[in-house]
Amino acid sequence: MTHKFLVLMMPFLVATSVFADMSKCPAEGLQHKYLDVPIDFENVANGTYKLHYKLINPFSGAKKTLILLHGGPGSGMADFDNCQKAGICFSEFSNRYNIITVDERGAGCSQLPENALKQYMTHLATVEDIEALRIHLVGQDGIITIFGISYGTMVGM
């Protein structure tokens, strides 16, 4: 499979918990979105889980798309809420880019069912999640740019 995205990387370590209190996860609305993706991309009959992502600015087909991937594994999209965390305030690019943050598989509000954690918490599955999000946002042939921190650089690569 050919993935269509450009990766920008910023490595540093982040140590946080993998599990979130799901009762504190936002409802789907204008900013917060949930995409059903397979728990197991090799056997989609095993069901889906909800991949949580957030639109930092209103999505426009006329703009390029920038997806921000957090560190961890297990950190979360909150890594990008503070402009100082990554040293860049991504909202400054909102006139040229659709900016999206993602709670990667098993982090923040993108929690797998407990019985699927050990078997399906893999690097490759997380990559496939981002590929499914790319296709959902910009279509099969659409191109995205990825900015990753720490573990997010490995997912992006």
Side-chain angles (χ1 to χ4, degrees):
M1 174 183 294
T2 302
H3 301 292
K4 297 178 184 246
F5 40 79
L6 169 68
V7 179
L8 304 172
M9 299 179 294
M10 182 178 186
F12 64 84
L13 297 176
V14 178
T16 56
S17 171
V18 173
F19 302 101
D21 178 354
M22 295 301 286
S23 68
K24 294 181 180 177
C25 292
E28 186 159 4
L30 293 175
Q31 252 192 326
H32 292 273
K33 306 288 184 185
Y34 293 87
L35 177 65
D36 288 327
V37 295
I39 292 171
D40 178 359
F41 283 88
E42 297 296 318
N43 186 0
V44 295
N46 283 343
T48 62
Y49 84 100
K50 298 203 176 289
L51 179 71
H52 175 232
Y53 65 100
K54 179 180 172 183
L55 304 176
I56 302 300
N57 54 332
F59 196 88
S60 165
K63 295 180 184 179
K64 296 178 182 178
T65 298
L66 172 63
I67 295 182
L68 308 176
L69 300 178
H70 61 75
S75 186
M77 67 173 57
D79 279 359
F80 298 105
D81 286 348
N82 180 344
C83 294
Q84 302 306 311
K85 183 80 174 186
I88 299 171
C89 190
F90 289 95
S91 60
E92 293 176 7
F93 301 109
S94 63
N95 60 333
R96 292 180 289 160
Y97 288 90
N98 299 305
I99 303 170
I100 292 114
T101 57
V102 181
D103 276 333
E104 296 158 23
R105 179 175 285 237
C109 295
S110 292
Q111 293 298 316
L112 292 170
E114 193 171 324
N115 64 343
L117 282 174
K118 192 171 188 178
Q119 186 174 1
Y120 300 112
M121 278 294 298
T122 68
H123 178 77
L124 181 58
T126 303
V127 169
E128 294 293 349
D129 288 348
I130 303 307
E131 174 64 357
L133 180 60
R134 179 193 70 80
I135 292 168
H136 173 73
L137 292 171
V138 298
Q140 186 67 38
D141 296 325
I143 297 173
I144 61 173
T145 300
I146 291 178
F147 179 91
I149 295 177
S150 192
Y151 177 69
T153 64
M154 293 191 305
V155 173
M157 289 299 291

